[in-house]
Amino acid sequence: MSTTVASGRETGWKPGTLRLGARRVITEVRAFNRDGLSLGLILFFPVAMMALFSTVFGSEPTFGPPGNQITPAHYYLPGMLALGTILSGFQNLSGYVAADRFNGGIKRLAGTPLPVISYFIGKMGITLYLILGQTILLLLAAQFLFGVDLPSSAGAWLTFVWLLVLGTAAWSLVGIAFACIAKSAESAATLAVLPVLLLSFTSGVYFPFSQLPDWLQTFANLTPLRWTASGMRSVFLPAGFEAAEPGQTWAVGVSVVVILMWLAAGLVLTRLVFKWPPQK
Amino acid sequence: MTTHVSIGSAAPTRSGGHAVVIDGLTKTYPQPKSGTFNAVDNLSLHISTGETYALLGPNGAGKSTTIEIMEGHRKPSAGTVSVLGHRPYKAPASFRARIGIVLQEAPDAGVFTVAEALRDISAFYPNPRSVDEVIAAVGLERKAGARIKTLSGGQRRRVDVAMGMIGSPELLFLDEPTTGFDPAARRQFWELIRSLGAEGTTVVLTTHYLDEAQQLSDRLGIIASGRLIAEGTAEMVGGRELRTPRVRWTDDDGDSREEITSSPAAVVHRLSDGGRREPAGLEVVRPSLEDVYLELLKQHDATVNGDES
């Protein structure tokens, strides 16, 4: 019995992982931009929340210790920035990956020469697009609509950038793993709201972390959002506000450790549950 | 045997080789209650390079599992599978560059236009066909700029086919490609598959339509309970016995009669007293592929049930 001779076109050919990854980014972002309503809702959600707090609590400097008070908008800015990491990284991304799993997108792509890494680069691209969009809109609104004094030191901005990137990356990996264990695209979308709601209340996003009961603080200390939020507060709140934190310190070092641990855990989980091709 | 170096087209590697060699393939799934279920059960089949091969069988017979194992989408539990000389599961990208897959149904990519979606996918392949040519081949020229989600079911199916052939595959898999097509669209689609076959593309398709299998396939295989129960050309499958002509008529008591005979003319001659009388409702029927198919399944079910009782 003779076997098929491999034709010349096969020898040595490999798809360009980075080139195709870049193409996937363009595809993902373009697909997202086509849905104008969700584009607007997702990008403007943190700004809208900040505007809401500013409306409810007023625009006078009434938050913080006497003599060092800031406006509600200023006070909520770090929380809203931290919220963006779980919104873009976890909620939105898990929804997209679950959709790809159940609408045949992953199955179709896994049957082409597209490398799985290129698929992930595409997902990273759309997530970066969302988190950067949300963040830039939020910072612009803070500066120009709400008159918040943004930090001027390079060190503060450096802390801000790694918090944003690592926090989003950790949530992205957890989100992909979450999307892979969901039983349907609908249940993924519904269930993804729960951790976002719960954690935003336990992480000092909506009200001061120190007001939580001790047991809830202990729980929250294990989650990355709590540490992203406190890290963001260290960047955007004036000196002296750390007095309201547990131990009267920002503990930015702990933020790094907890977020990196979640990043590692998310990586392992994703490696275990993400299937390419999708069936067994 | 010569090595064909072909670039830019799906020119055949007509070396008398096999595009697909499957031996003793079994795919086992765990059952929710207990035990296991063999979706594919010790199945063997060979598909020659350049051949168009149709897999037939009832729902749940294992057609899709078999084709998905050939595509590399599922992992065989036992047996050997060689597709274009590769074990398809987790094969390198260079293998997937040589195959094309038309899935059963995939509603992804709806926000893109037909041309955009095809351009995106063509970028993954080393030697893709031109997007415009493929759009013309599937007859969607006037819909090239329309978003996929605005298309009708049949038009979307043609987009799926276009996505499967854009990489100019040597081997094209089509899983129930014409489900939901109107008769005219089905005929157009057959022409398209024939032209791919004429260019040397090996085509493996599953279908529920026996006329489709008859029209397109060089050979066909019938799968039931995960096993290949018959294989051959549409004219020969099932053997001579199942194809013996039947003479049917209504006798003087008004009862329907049937005689299975290899010499129908002699029977008609006898019934009509050499042409001197006309039996009521007289017809000579040669079993169609559908008759043969249904008879084979009936025989298979009888065997399976006989085994169990």
Side-chain angles (χ1 to χ4, degrees):
Chain A
M1 187 184 73
S2 59
T3 47
T4 307
V5 174
S7 64
R9 56 199 279 197
E10 189 179 348
T11 27
W13 180 81
K14 271 187 182 163
T17 304
L18 290 179
R19 183 181 64 86
L20 294 184
R23 267 202 84 95
R24 286 295 303 163
V25 173
I26 295 168
T27 303
E28 298 266 5
V29 169
R30 210 169 39 170
F32 186 78
N33 288 347
R34 297 259 161 111
D35 187 356
L37 187 62
S38 35
L39 177 74
L41 282 177
I42 286 172
L43 291 183
F44 283 94
F45 179 76
V47 176
M49 290 298 285
M50 196 164 76
L52 204 60
F53 285 122
S54 186
T55 312
V56 173
F57 297 114
S59 49
E60 296 303 308
T62 50
F63 276 51
N68 194 11
Q69 285 176 315
I70 55 173
T71 62
H74 189 170
Y75 184 80
Y76 278 107
L77 175 63
M80 292 305 109
L81 289 166
L83 189 63
T85 63
I86 189 171
L87 286 176
S88 295
F90 182 80
Q91 190 176 338
N92 296 326
L93 183 59
S94 69
Y96 305 149
V97 174
D100 285 353
R101 270 186 72 212
F102 292 102
N103 72 10
I106 289 182
K107 198 172 177 184
R108 189 194 299 284
L109 293 175
T112 73
L114 182 76
V116 62
I117 301 294
S118 306
Y119 172 80
F120 277 119
I121 293 174
K123 290 297 175 219
M124 281 195 304
I126 180 70
T127 305
L128 269 178
Y129 175 74
L130 294 183
I131 187 68
L132 290 182
Q134 281 180 336
T135 302
I136 289 167
L137 284 172
L138 199 52
L139 290 175
L140 287 176
Q143 168 97 46
F144 296 108
L145 294 182
F146 302 104
V148 177
D149 280 332
L150 296 181
S152 52
S153 86
W157 285 107
L158 191 68
T159 308
F160 162 73
V161 167
W162 70 249
L163 272 171
L164 193 74
V165 170
L166 288 186
T168 308
W171 278 120
S172 299
L173 290 165
V174 175
I176 293 171
F178 173 80
C180 292
I181 55 174
K183 296 285 179 229
S184 72
E186 293 74 23
S187 79
T190 313
L191 290 175
V193 178
L194 277 180
V196 176
L197 266 179
L198 286 176
L199 293 187
S200 56
F201 278 99
T202 62
S203 300
V205 167
Y206 292 132
F207 49 82
F209 185 68
S210 52
Q211 287 180 8
L212 293 177
D214 282 346
W215 65 271
L216 208 51
Q217 285 194 18
T218 311
F219 162 76
N221 281 338
L222 299 172
T223 68
L225 185 60
R226 174 253 185 272
W227 293 104
T228 312
S230 64
M232 289 293 182
R233 287 198 291 276
S234 83
V235 172
F236 290 96
L237 297 190
F241 272 70
E242 68 268 29
E245 298 287 320
Q248 290 73 55
T249 163
W250 295 119
V252 176
V254 184
S255 293
V256 187
V257 173
V258 174
I259 295 172
L260 282 180
M261 274 167 48
W262 276 80
L263 191 74
L267 195 63
V268 172
L269 270 179
T270 297
R271 190 78 186 76
L272 287 178
V273 296
F274 186 82
K275 297 276 186 286
W276 181 280
Q279 294 102 343
K280 260 274 172 181
Chain B
M1 195 158 71
T2 52
T3 307
H4 288 260
V5 180
S6 59
I7 291 170
S9 77
T13 43
R14 284 207 189 273
S15 46
H18 288 110
V20 177
V21 178
I22 297 178
D23 268 309
L25 172 67
T26 297
K27 177 66 182 178
T28 307
Y29 292 109
Q31 285 291 78
K33 291 275 166 64
S34 64
T36 55
F37 162 70
N38 285 348
V40 181
D41 191 358
N42 196 18
L43 182 141
S44 301
L45 66 85
H46 296 184
I47 298 170
S48 302
T49 303
E51 187 175 30
T52 296
Y53 190 97
L55 275 175
L56 301 174
N59 287 324
K63 298 187 301 292
S64 289
T65 304
T66 305
I67 204 168
E68 286 184 351
I69 286 171
M70 292 187 229
E71 293 162 355
H73 273 317
R74 286 179 196 272
K75 187 181 179 181
S77 306
T80 57
V81 179
S82 168
V83 178
L84 302 177
H86 283 274
R87 263 189 306 197
Y89 189 68
K90 304 266 183 196
S94 55
F95 165 74
R96 291 192 301 280
R98 298 168 62 199
I99 65 168
I101 298 175
V102 177
L103 298 168
Q104 240 179 45
E105 194 184 349
D108 62 317
V111 294
F112 292 114
T113 69
V114 175
E116 285 170 342
L118 287 173
R119 256 198 306 279
D120 277 346
I121 291 190
S122 76
F124 304 160
Y125 291 89
N127 305 295
R129 289 193 164 93
S130 119
V131 168
D132 293 340
E133 277 173 34
V134 169
I135 288 175
V138 297
L140 285 176
E141 294 99 324
R142 287 192 309 176
K143 293 286 179 185
R147 292 196 183 179
I148 292 173
K149 64 180 171 191
T150 65
L151 302 182
S152 71
Q155 289 169 336
R156 269 193 229 195
R157 208 69 194 105
R158 285 191 251 175
V159 176
D160 289 334
V161 174
M163 286 175 169
M165 61 183 277
I166 189 79
S168 52
E170 293 165 51
L171 172 56
L172 181 65
F173 295 102
L174 302 141
D175 204 355
E176 298 185 9
T178 60
T179 303
F181 277 31
D182 62 52
R186 175 164 295 136
R187 267 160 213 285
Q188 278 175 13
F189 172 81
W190 290 348
E191 278 312 309
L192 172 63
I193 298 303
R194 280 197 198 101
S195 69
L196 289 175
E199 286 173 34
T201 310
T202 309
V203 178
V204 179
L205 68 120
T206 71
T207 182
H208 280 301
Y209 303 107
L210 294 148
D211 56 338
E212 185 162 290
Q214 194 152 21
Q215 286 284 336
L216 292 180
S217 67
D218 298 315
R219 282 190 310 142
L220 56 89
I222 298 173
I223 294 188
S225 318
R227 282 172 248 168
L228 194 67
I229 59 168
E231 194 183 37
T233 62
E235 288 69 36
M236 296 298 289
V237 72
R240 189 173 292 175
E241 202 169 312
L242 290 182
R243 294 173 180 280
T244 314
R246 285 117 212 267
V247 180
R248 292 179 189 148
W249 73 98
T250 310
D251 66 15
D252 297 337
D253 302 332
D255 293 332
S256 294
R257 301 283 302 271
E258 182 183 89
E259 195 166 323
I260 300 175
T261 171
S262 50
S263 46
V267 173
V268 170
H269 185 84
R270 173 168 55 78
L271 288 172
S272 63
D273 289 340
R276 281 187 291 277
R277 68 187 202 96
E278 289 294 327
L282 178 70
E283 53 179 1
V284 177
V285 182
R286 284 178 189 274
S288 64
L289 179 58
E290 184 162 305
D291 296 326
V292 171
Y293 170 82
L294 292 172
E295 182 57 32
L296 282 168
L297 287 182
K298 205 165 94 188
Q299 290 177 3
H300 171 80
D301 285 346
T303 333
V304 171
N305 293 333
D307 287 351
E308 280 171 2
S309 59

